[in-house]
Amino acid sequence: MSHSAQPVTSVQAVWPGRPYPLGATWDGLGVNFALYSQHAEAVELVLFDHPDDPAPSRTIEVTERTGPIWHVYLPGLRPGQLYGYRVYGPYRPEESHRFNPNKVLLDPYAKAIGRPLRWHDSLFGYKIGDPAGDLSFSEEDSAPYAPLGAVVEGCFEWGDDRPPRIPWEDTIIYETHVKGITKLHPEVPEPLRGTYLGLTCEPVLEHLKRLGVTTIQLLPVHAKVHDRHLVERGLRNYWGYNPLCYFAPEPEYATNGPISAVREFKMMVRALHAAGFEVIVDVVYNHTGEGGVLGPTLSFRGIDNRAYYKADPNNPRFLVDYTGTGNTLDVGNPYVIQLIMDSLRYWVTEMHVDGFRFDLAAALARELYDVDMLSTFFQVIQQDPVLSQVKLIAEPWDVGPGGYQVGHFPWQWTEWNGRYRDAVRRFWRGDRGLNGEFATRFAGSSDLYERSGRRPFASINFVTAHDGFTLEDLVSYTKKHNEANLEGNRDGMDENYSTNCGVEGPTQDPSVLACREALKRSLISTLFLSQGVPMLLGGDELSRTQHGNNNAYCQDNEISWYNWQLDTRKQQFLEFVRQVIWFRKQHRSFRRRHFLTGLPNGGEAPDAVWWHPEGRPMRHEDWTNPELTAFGLLLHGDAIQGTDEHGRPFRDDTFLILFNNGSEAVPVVVPEVCSCGKPHHWEVVPVFQRNVEPPTCAPGETLSLPPGVLTVLVAVPPFSDGNPETA
């Protein structure tokens, strides 16, 4: 099947323009438009005067083509102009061609969304309801409903803004949603709630400062598509992992119309930098919001489906799906790689972000079909003078064969450590036989990262994230409760490694609440005392609940928004989280740049010793003993590998971290020898007290470690204030 047509010829004069840069570029005198389409036969640029206009006010035939780039220059055109494209070519789905000039298409390089899409059957390249499905051809014009780009002026007064450049070992990530964190905040002015500017309000900044985090990681802020099936059910794509455009910030979070999103995003970054925070954005370059072959024709599909998407080699009508969304961008196409790199550089150089977290990053390594860590994507980033200098975080898996790649990314990358999450959850749930796995994860996962020359900070440690239970729900539910998603509770992970402490969901039972609070404290303490980079799910410090929903991607409501009304229990937990974070920041022992070795480092004592409750180092057979529920880690503070920026050796207190994931108290004999070389005694660090008896004991004495508890002891010389500088 083939449908081609001649474009409308404009009678107004135009200039040829240039093939680079791609997108719409205003130079002060006019606008250059450049569009990549390898297989198009003709291209029209359509201009709209107003977002409510049902048809373009002007259509320009783009006659200049340099290689696969179509380009034109319009003198006198100014920022704010709304525009789109019609692209002509064959409609032959069996060959992966889906051109349809009846569809107005969004520029993949649009810097702003001038009009969001409005769902209508005309947005689909085929006839909705036709028995032939996607093989049919729609002649309905999508101009009244299609998303439009807007020409932007890139000028912005950044002042003395500069990247904080926080070292990886000092980084503490706070994962949050632009809208969710402020939508219900009573001290944020109502017009700013749920917006970029809401994040700049002093009450929010003060909360983040007091918490002690260093780096704000935002869920996707690229302009997104709210899936039609969600909208028709009264739901929305809240998380944003459904990108429409890789340059335009999501317009919903702007206060003054969609075009203002660019300026307001920059204002947010400038304010966060001024407060000392880094800004990392979650990016989704593995797929687009156009979905599978039955999805809409909004941009890439209509511009050049065969070039942008990875087609099934056995049946090009269909798309390869390594993402679970219906399509996968073809990173084997150099122009797709260019799109991704241009977008990344734009967000660093123009929007001033400090790094990226790559959703389903394994899909970006599939230059052909297998995951290849030597693929073009990684090579280009490694040699790029801009992107090689920012923080790069991989979600190291996708849904395709061989897609689980934890520990295999290049050395410049850090990774979400899913093995850490699972081991920590299962250990504190009380699962047996996990002591060795838990210890390895707590010590920085050297088995995953050390052999390739990476450091402990290659591991992004997390217990909870946007995807899954919140911390409060992790200790309150044994099963997912996703009924509000209207998918029959079939969506979301079935195995959460969670517990409810005896009651499913909300309760006022004091013993159940006490169990949950203790478990939350053990999980948070583990997270912030582990070697590696901790990531806190935003709202966990507020004991935020999603009422058992572990896949709240479509819940743009109170299920997902942060509740800032804190009762005594929640306020106490918030204060606990603050204290644990500040404890980590004060002690280099928990922020080491090198893996623990168990060997001396310039002294007689080893840097670390795994400790048995009997008062001796752990033996090989101890790790496989399922009856052993308690053990510890002795960290010698004067045996830390490495030096500071001035070449001085790191020094810290000596700590004993004790874990008990059993249901009974365990007697623990504390070490007799401290590497400080002086008489000493052991004191329980107050923030980790939690009914440990006695709170102070001499070397070789025994203390009772309560069940379900992580506690920390510090070696304190007599008559000392505990400060390593004065001891």
Side-chain angles (χ1 to χ4, degrees), residues 258-317:
I259 298 179
S260 70
V262 178
R263 179 175 181 79
E264 293 185 16
F265 183 92
K266 293 178 178 180
M267 293 170 67
M268 176 194 69
V269 172
R270 185 178 62 187
L272 288 169
H273 280 177
F277 299 111
E278 291 180 310
V279 179
I280 288 177
V281 295
D282 203 328
V283 289
V284 189
Y285 294 110
N286 52 76
H287 76 279
T288 79
E290 290 185 309
V293 296
L294 295 179
T297 297
L298 306 174
S299 179
F300 305 90
R301 173 165 287 136
I303 294 170
D304 200 332
N305 182 77
R306 184 169 174 173
Y308 279 109
Y309 294 122
K310 192 179 290 291
D312 185 332
N314 299 315
N315 188 349
R317 172 186 170 188

Coordinates of all heavy atoms in Angstrom, one line a residue, residues 258-317:
P258 N 2.7 27.0 28.5 CA 3.6 26.0 28.1 C 5.0 26.5 27.7 O 6.0 25.9 28.0 CB 3.0 25.2 27.0 CG 1.9 26.1 26.5 CD 1.5 26.9 27.6
I259 N 5.0 27.6 26.9 CA 6.3 28.1 26.4 C 7.2 28.6 27.6 O 8.4 28.6 27.5 CB 6.1 29.2 25.4 CG1 5.3 28.7 24.2 CG2 7.4 29.8 24.9 CD1 5.0 29.7 23.1
S260 N 6.6 29.0 28.7 CA 7.4 29.5 29.8 C 8.1 28.4 30.6 O 9.0 28.7 31.4 CB 6.5 30.2 30.8 OG 5.6 29.3 31.5
A261 N 7.9 27.1 30.2 CA 8.5 26.0 30.9 C 10.0 26.1 30.8 O 10.7 25.7 31.7 CB 8.0 24.7 30.3
V262 N 10.6 26.5 29.6 CA 12.0 26.6 29.5 C 12.6 27.5 30.5 O 13.6 27.2 31.2 CB 12.4 27.0 28.0 CG1 13.9 27.1 27.9 CG2 11.8 26.1 27.0
R263 N 12.1 28.7 30.6 CA 12.6 29.7 31.5 C 12.5 29.3 32.9 O 13.4 29.4 33.8 CB 12.0 31.1 31.2 CG 12.4 32.2 32.2 CD 11.8 33.5 31.8 NE 12.3 34.6 32.7 CZ 13.5 35.1 32.6 NH1 14.3 34.8 31.7 NH2 13.9 36.1 33.5
E264 N 11.3 28.7 33.3 CA 11.1 28.4 34.7 C 11.9 27.2 35.1 O 12.3 27.1 36.2 CB 9.6 28.1 34.9 CG 8.8 29.4 34.7 CD 7.3 29.2 35.0 OE1 6.9 28.2 35.7 OE2 6.5 30.1 34.7
F265 N 12.2 26.3 34.2 CA 13.1 25.2 34.5 C 14.5 25.7 34.8 O 15.1 25.3 35.8 CB 13.2 24.2 33.4 CG 14.0 23.0 33.7 CD1 13.5 21.8 34.2 CD2 15.4 23.0 33.5 CE1 14.2 20.7 34.5 CE2 16.2 21.9 33.8 CZ 15.6 20.7 34.3
K266 N 14.9 26.7 34.0 CA 16.2 27.3 34.3 C 16.2 28.0 35.6 O 17.2 27.9 36.4 CB 16.6 28.2 33.2 CG 16.9 27.5 31.8 CD 17.2 28.6 30.7 CE 17.5 27.9 29.4 NZ 17.8 28.8 28.3
M267 N 15.2 28.7 35.9 CA 15.1 29.3 37.2 C 15.2 28.3 38.4 O 15.8 28.6 39.4 CB 13.8 30.1 37.3 CG 13.7 31.3 36.3 SD 12.0 32.1 36.3 CE 11.9 32.8 37.9
M268 N 14.5 27.2 38.2 CA 14.6 26.1 39.2 C 16.0 25.6 39.4 O 16.5 25.5 40.6 CB 13.7 25.0 38.9 CG 13.7 23.8 39.8 SD 13.0 22.3 39.1 CE 14.1 21.9 37.8
V269 N 16.7 25.4 38.3 CA 18.1 24.9 38.4 C 19.0 25.9 39.1 O 19.8 25.6 40.0 CB 18.6 24.5 37.0 CG1 20.1 24.2 37.1 CG2 17.9 23.3 36.5
R270 N 18.8 27.2 38.7 CA 19.6 28.2 39.3 C 19.4 28.3 40.8 O 20.4 28.5 41.5 CB 19.3 29.6 38.6 CG 20.1 30.7 39.0 CD 19.8 32.0 38.3 NE 18.4 32.4 38.5 CZ 17.7 33.4 37.9 NH1 18.4 34.0 36.9 NH2 16.5 33.6 38.2
A271 N 18.2 28.2 41.2 CA 17.9 28.3 42.6 C 18.4 27.1 43.4 O 19.0 27.2 44.5 CB 16.4 28.4 42.8
L272 N 18.3 25.9 42.8 CA 18.8 24.7 43.5 C 20.4 24.8 43.6 O 21.0 24.4 44.6 CB 18.4 23.5 42.8 CG 16.9 23.1 42.9 CD1 16.5 22.0 42.0 CD2 16.6 22.7 44.4
H273 N 21.0 25.2 42.5 CA 22.5 25.4 42.6 C 22.9 26.4 43.6 O 23.8 26.2 44.4 CB 23.0 25.8 41.2 CG 23.1 24.7 40.2 ND1 23.5 25.0 38.9 CD2 22.9 23.4 40.3 CE1 23.6 23.8 38.3 NE2 23.2 22.8 39.1
A274 N 22.2 27.5 43.7 CA 22.5 28.5 44.7 C 22.3 28.0 46.1 O 23.0 28.4 47.0 CB 21.6 29.8 44.5
A275 N 21.5 27.0 46.3 CA 21.3 26.4 47.6 C 22.3 25.3 47.9 O 22.2 24.6 48.9 CB 19.8 25.9 47.7
G276 N 23.1 25.0 46.9 CA 24.2 24.0 47.0 C 23.8 22.6 46.5 O 24.6 21.7 46.7
F277 N 22.7 22.5 45.8 CA 22.3 21.1 45.3 C 22.6 20.9 43.9 O 22.5 21.8 43.0 CB 20.7 21.0 45.5 CG 20.2 21.1 46.9 CD1 19.5 22.2 47.3 CD2 20.5 20.1 47.8 CE1 19.0 22.3 48.6 CE2 20.0 20.2 49.1 CZ 19.3 21.2 49.5
E278 N 23.0 19.7 43.5 CA 23.1 19.3 42.2 C 21.7 18.9 41.6 O 20.8 18.6 42.4 CB 24.0 18.1 42.0 CG 25.5 18.3 42.3 CD 26.3 17.0 42.2 OE1 25.9 16.0 42.8 OE2 27.3 17.1 41.5
V279 N 21.6 19.0 40.3 CA 20.3 18.6 39.7 C 20.6 17.5 38.6 O 21.4 17.7 37.7 CB 19.6 19.8 39.0 CG1 18.3 19.3 38.4 CG2 19.4 20.9 40.0
I280 N 20.0 16.3 38.9 CA 20.1 15.2 37.9 C 18.7 15.0 37.4 O 17.8 15.0 38.1 CB 20.7 14.0 38.6 CG1 22.2 14.1 38.9 CG2 20.5 12.7 37.7 CD1 22.8 13.0 39.6
V281 N 18.6 14.7 36.1 CA 17.3 14.4 35.5 C 17.3 13.0 35.0 O 18.2 12.5 34.4 CB 16.9 15.5 34.4 CG1 16.8 16.9 34.9 CG2 18.0 15.5 33.3
D282 N 16.1 12.4 35.1 CA 15.9 11.0 34.7 C 15.5 11.1 33.2 O 14.6 11.9 32.8 CB 14.7 10.4 35.5 CG 14.7 8.9 35.5 OD1 15.1 8.4 34.5 OD2 14.3 8.3 36.5
V283 N 16.2 10.4 32.3 CA 16.0 10.6 30.9 C 15.6 9.2 30.3 O 16.0 8.2 30.7 CB 17.2 11.1 30.2 CG1 17.3 12.6 30.5 CG2 18.5 10.4 30.5
V284 N 14.7 9.3 29.3 CA 14.1 8.0 28.7 C 14.4 8.0 27.2 O 13.6 8.4 26.4 CB 12.6 8.0 29.0 CG1 12.1 6.6 28.6 CG2 12.3 8.3 30.4
Y285 N 15.6 7.7 26.8 CA 16.0 7.7 25.4 C 15.8 6.3 24.8 O 16.3 6.1 23.7 CB 17.5 8.1 25.3 CG 17.7 9.5 25.6 CD1 18.4 9.9 26.8 CD2 17.2 10.6 24.8 CE1 18.7 11.2 27.1 CE2 17.5 11.9 25.2 CZ 18.2 12.2 26.3 OH 18.4 13.5 26.7
N286 N 15.2 5.3 25.5 CA 15.1 4.0 25.0 C 13.8 3.8 24.1 O 13.8 3.0 23.3 CB 15.1 3.0 26.1 CG 14.1 3.3 27.2 OD1 12.9 3.1 27.0 ND2 14.6 3.8 28.3
H287 N 12.8 4.7 24.4 CA 11.6 4.6 23.6 C 10.9 5.9 23.6 O 11.3 6.9 24.2 CB 10.7 3.5 24.2 CG 10.0 4.0 25.4 ND1 10.6 4.0 26.7 CD2 8.7 4.5 25.6 CE1 9.7 4.4 27.6 NE2 8.6 4.8 27.0
T288 N 9.8 6.0 22.8 CA 9.0 7.3 22.8 C 7.6 6.9 23.2 O 7.2 5.8 23.2 CB 9.0 7.9 21.4 OG1 8.1 7.3 20.5 CG2 10.4 7.9 20.8
G289 N 6.8 8.0 23.3 CA 5.4 7.8 23.7 C 4.5 7.4 22.6 O 3.2 7.4 22.7
E290 N 5.0 7.2 21.4 CA 4.2 6.8 20.2 C 3.8 5.3 20.3 O 2.9 4.8 19.5 CB 4.9 7.0 18.9 CG 5.0 8.5 18.6 CD 5.6 8.8 17.3 OE1 6.7 8.3 17.0 OE2 5.0 9.6 16.5
G291 N 4.4 4.5 21.2 CA 4.0 3.1 21.4 C 4.3 2.2 20.3 O 5.1 2.5 19.4
G292 N 3.5 1.1 20.2 CA 3.7 0.1 19.2 C 3.0 0.5 17.9 O 2.6 1.7 17.7
V293 N 2.8 -0.4 17.0 CA 2.3 -0.1 15.6 C 0.9 0.4 15.7 O 0.4 1.0 14.7 CB 2.4 -1.3 14.7 CG1 3.9 -1.7 14.5 CG2 1.6 -2.5 15.2
L294 N 0.2 0.2 16.8 CA -1.2 0.7 16.9 C -1.2 2.0 17.7 O -2.3 2.5 18.0 CB -2.1 -0.3 17.6 CG -2.3 -1.6 16.8 CD1 -3.2 -2.6 17.6 CD2 -3.0 -1.3 15.4
G295 N -0.1 2.6 17.9 CA 0.0 3.9 18.6 C -0.2 5.0 17.7 O -0.4 4.9 16.4
P296 N -0.2 6.2 18.2 CA -0.4 7.4 17.4 C 0.8 7.8 16.5 O 1.9 7.4 16.8 CB -0.7 8.5 18.5 CG 0.1 8.1 19.6 CD 0.0 6.6 19.6
T297 N 0.5 8.7 15.6 CA 1.6 9.3 14.8 C 1.7 10.8 15.2 O 0.9 11.6 14.7 CB 1.2 9.2 13.3 OG1 1.2 7.8 12.9 CG2 2.3 9.9 12.4
L298 N 2.6 11.0 16.1 CA 2.8 12.4 16.7 C 4.0 13.1 16.2 O 4.1 14.3 16.1 CB 2.8 12.3 18.2 CG 1.6 11.5 18.8 CD1 1.8 11.4 20.3 CD2 0.3 12.3 18.6
S299 N 5.1 12.3 15.9 CA 6.4 12.9 15.6 C 7.3 11.9 14.9 O 7.2 11.8 13.6 CB 7.1 13.3 17.0 OG 8.3 13.9 16.7
F300 N 8.1 11.1 15.6 CA 9.1 10.2 15.0 C 8.5 9.3 14.0 O 9.0 9.1 12.9 CB 9.8 9.4 16.1 CG 10.4 10.3 17.1 CD1 9.7 10.6 18.3 CD2 11.7 10.7 17.0 CE1 10.3 11.4 19.3 CE2 12.3 11.5 18.0 CZ 11.6 11.8 19.1
R301 N 7.3 8.7 14.3 CA 6.7 7.7 13.4 C 6.4 8.3 12.1 O 6.6 7.7 11.0 CB 5.4 7.1 14.1 CG 4.6 6.2 13.2 CD 3.6 5.4 14.0 NE 4.3 4.4 14.8 CZ 4.1 4.1 16.1 NH1 3.1 4.8 16.7 NH2 4.7 3.2 16.7
G302 N 5.8 9.5 12.1 CA 5.4 10.1 10.8 C 6.6 10.8 10.1 O 6.5 11.0 8.9
I303 N 7.7 11.2 10.8 CA 8.8 11.8 10.2 C 9.7 10.7 9.4 O 10.1 11.0 8.3 CB 9.6 12.6 11.2 CG1 8.8 13.7 11.7 CG2 11.0 13.0 10.6 CD1 9.4 14.4 12.9
D304 N 9.9 9.6 10.1 CA 10.6 8.5 9.4 C 10.6 7.3 10.4 O 11.6 7.1 11.1 CB 12.1 8.9 9.1 CG 12.7 8.0 8.0 OD1 12.3 6.9 7.9 OD2 13.5 8.5 7.2
N305 N 9.6 6.6 10.4 CA 9.4 5.4 11.3 C 10.6 4.4 11.1 O 11.1 3.9 12.1 CB 8.1 4.7 11.0 CG 7.8 3.5 11.9 OD1 7.4 3.7 13.0 ND2 8.0 2.3 11.4
R306 N 11.0 4.2 9.9 CA 12.0 3.2 9.6 C 13.4 3.6 10.1 O 14.2 2.8 10.5 CB 12.1 2.9 8.1 CG 13.0 1.8 7.7 CD 12.8 1.4 6.3 NE 13.8 0.5 5.8 CZ 13.8 -0.1 4.6 NH1 12.8 0.2 3.8 NH2 14.7 -1.0 4.2
A307 N 13.6 4.9 10.2 CA 14.9 5.4 10.6 C 15.0 5.5 12.1 O 16.1 5.3 12.7 CB 15.2 6.8 10.0
Y308 N 13.9 5.9 12.8 CA 14.0 6.2 14.2 C 13.8 5.0 15.1 O 14.4 4.9 16.2 CB 12.9 7.2 14.6 CG 13.3 8.7 14.3 CD1 12.8 9.4 13.3 CD2 14.3 9.3 15.1 CE1 13.1 10.7 13.0 CE2 14.7 10.6 14.8 CZ 14.1 11.3 13.8 OH 14.5 12.6 13.5
Y309 N 13.0 4.0 14.6 CA 12.7 2.8 15.5 C 13.3 1.6 15.0 O 13.6 1.4 13.8 CB 11.1 2.6 15.5 CG 10.4 3.8 16.2 CD1 9.4 4.5 15.5 CD2 10.7 4.1 17.5 CE1 8.7 5.5 16.2 CE2 10.0 5.1 18.1 CZ 9.0 5.8 17.5 OH 8.4 6.8 18.1
K310 N 13.6 0.7 15.9 CA 14.2 -0.6 15.6 C 13.1 -1.6 15.1 O 12.3 -2.0 15.9 CB 15.0 -1.2 16.8 CG 15.9 -2.3 16.5 CD 16.6 -2.8 17.7 CE 17.6 -1.8 18.2 NZ 18.8 -1.7 17.3
A311 N 13.2 -1.9 13.9 CA 12.1 -2.8 13.3 C 12.5 -4.3 13.5 O 13.7 -4.6 13.6 CB 12.0 -2.5 11.8
D312 N 11.5 -5.1 13.6 CA 11.7 -6.5 13.7 C 12.3 -7.0 12.4 O 11.8 -6.8 11.3 CB 10.3 -7.2 13.9 CG 10.5 -8.7 14.1 OD1 11.4 -9.3 13.6 OD2 9.6 -9.3 14.8
P313 N 13.5 -7.6 12.4 CA 14.2 -8.0 11.2 C 13.4 -9.1 10.4 O 13.6 -9.2 9.2 CB 15.6 -8.5 11.6 CG 15.4 -8.9 13.1 CD 14.3 -7.9 13.6
N314 N 12.6 -9.8 11.1 CA 11.8 -10.9 10.4 C 10.5 -10.4 9.8 O 10.0 -11.0 8.9 CB 11.6 -12.0 11.4 CG 12.9 -12.6 11.9 OD1 13.8 -12.9 11.1 ND2 12.9 -12.9 13.2
N315 N 10.0 -9.3 10.4 CA 8.8 -8.7 9.9 C 8.8 -7.2 10.2 O 8.4 -6.7 11.2 CB 7.6 -9.3 10.6 CG 6.2 -8.9 10.0 OD1 6.2 -8.0 9.2 ND2 5.2 -9.6 10.4
P316 N 9.3 -6.4 9.3 CA 9.5 -5.0 9.5 C 8.3 -4.2 9.8 O 8.4 -3.0 10.2 CB 10.2 -4.5 8.2 CG 10.8 -5.7 7.6 CD 9.8 -6.8 7.9
R317 N 7.1 -4.8 9.6 CA 5.9 -4.1 10.0 C 5.8 -3.8 11.5 O 5.3 -2.8 11.9 CB 4.7 -4.9 9.6 CG 3.3 -4.4 10.1 CD 2.2 -5.4 9.8 NE 1.0 -5.0 10.4 CZ -0.1 -5.8 10.5 NH1 -0.1 -6.9 9.8 NH2 -1.2 -5.4 11.1

